[in-house]
Amino acid sequence: MMGGERFRGRYDDMNGTNTTRLGAWALTAAMTLAFAGTAQAQTINDEVRCVLLSNAMASGADNPRGRQIGASVGAYFMGRLDARPPADVKAAIAGQKRKMKAAAAATAMNACVARAGRSEARLRDLAR
């Protein structure tokens, strides 16, 4: 049995069209449109700041919940940075190497957590 023949029944309906794949493309297009307004709302500097703060929280939190939040928020923003041009990310990282006061860091991290939470909520709503 060839690799493509094995899964043919899962993708093709009785008329031979790829309705499952078509549905996936439609969902992807809908998600792209839903996030189009928010994708550019945050600057690369904001995203880098959130990654750095999240990494610090994930490695320095006193409790497992804090480490978990830091890791998950950091993963969200690293995913966003992955779509950015590498030279821009490198420049933004170099610009963020200054020290941040603890109060300012806490406020900034709360904003990062809120942004990641809103995105998670939107994805959950789209999946319903």
Side-chain angles (χ1 to χ4, degrees):
M1 178 184 301
M2 301 293 266
E5 295 171 11
R6 179 176 173 205
F7 296 105
R8 183 179 174 129
R10 292 186 184 176
Y11 296 113
D12 295 344
D13 67 8
M14 293 172 59
N15 296 322
T17 60
N18 284 331
T19 54
T20 303
R21 287 185 184 168
L22 182 60
W25 281 104
L27 179 59
T28 301
M31 288 174 54
T32 301
L33 291 174
F35 293 114
T38 60
Q40 297 302 321
Q42 188 165 355
T43 69
I44 192 167
N45 289 325
D46 292 336
E47 291 170 356
V48 165
R49 184 178 309 111
C50 287
V51 167
L52 296 174
L53 289 168
S54 297
N55 286 342
M57 184 174 179
S59 64
D62 293 335
N63 59 63
R65 178 80 173 130
R67 288 190 296 273
Q68 179 186 13
I69 291 170
S72 63
V73 170
Y76 168 77
F77 285 103
M78 282 189 279
R80 290 181 59 91
L81 287 172
D82 190 48
R84 303 280 193 163
D88 293 349
V89 174
K90 186 174 182 173
I93 290 170
Q96 293 290 327
K97 289 195 176 180
R98 57 184 156 69
K99 297 283 183 184
M100 185 181 286
K101 294 188 187 292
T107 300
M109 185 61 194
N110 286 336
C112 296
V113 170
R115 282 192 292 269
R118 284 190 302 270
S119 181
E120 180 185 356
R122 282 192 301 267
L123 284 173
R124 268 196 313 259
D125 288 345
L126 287 172
R128 290 183 197 174

